[in-house]
Amino acid sequence: MIMRILGEGQYEIADEHLDQLNELDSDLQSAADAGDETAFTTALSALLDAVRSLGTPLPDATITPSDLVLPDADTSLTQVRDLLSDEGLIPG
């Protein structure tokens, strides 16, 4: 799966890491649902850090459609709420 972090770049994520990313996404969803800014910021940071550490960065010159686009770390709780579906940011 190819994930893009807005303003940063794309990462190739192996299927074996999707369960871990979905757990972090659930934490983000819970924080957003609760309106808890502190928990939201922590959860978004943890999710983006996991994508960076588990994924393989794609070269900037590589043009590949992203399967999933994640907001950058500066995205507000309100903005992310607009992006969330029933399954969070990461389907599955």
Side-chain angles (χ1 to χ4, degrees):
M1 172 179 274
I2 304 296
M3 292 186 183
R4 173 179 294 283
I5 298 175
L6 287 177
E8 188 171 319
Q10 291 180 301
Y11 297 84
E12 186 169 6
I13 305 293
D15 289 343
E16 66 195 53
H17 299 301
L18 293 179
D19 286 342
Q20 181 180 352
L21 293 174
N22 274 317
E23 287 178 28
L24 294 169
D25 187 40
S26 292
D27 294 343
L28 180 69
Q29 177 82 45
S30 295
D33 289 346
D36 185 334
E37 289 278 349
T38 302
F40 165 78
T41 301
T42 300
L44 179 58
S45 179
L47 177 60
L48 297 179
D49 287 347
V51 169
R52 291 180 194 113
S53 66
L54 298 173
T56 302
L58 296 180
D60 290 338
T62 301
I63 299 174
T64 302
S66 299
D67 298 306
L68 184 66
V69 178
L70 298 173
D72 64 31
D74 295 328
T75 305
S76 72
L77 172 59
T78 303
Q79 291 169 317
V80 169
R81 276 186 176 158
D82 292 340
L83 299 173
L84 290 171
S85 69
D86 291 340
E87 294 185 337
L89 292 173
I90 304 172

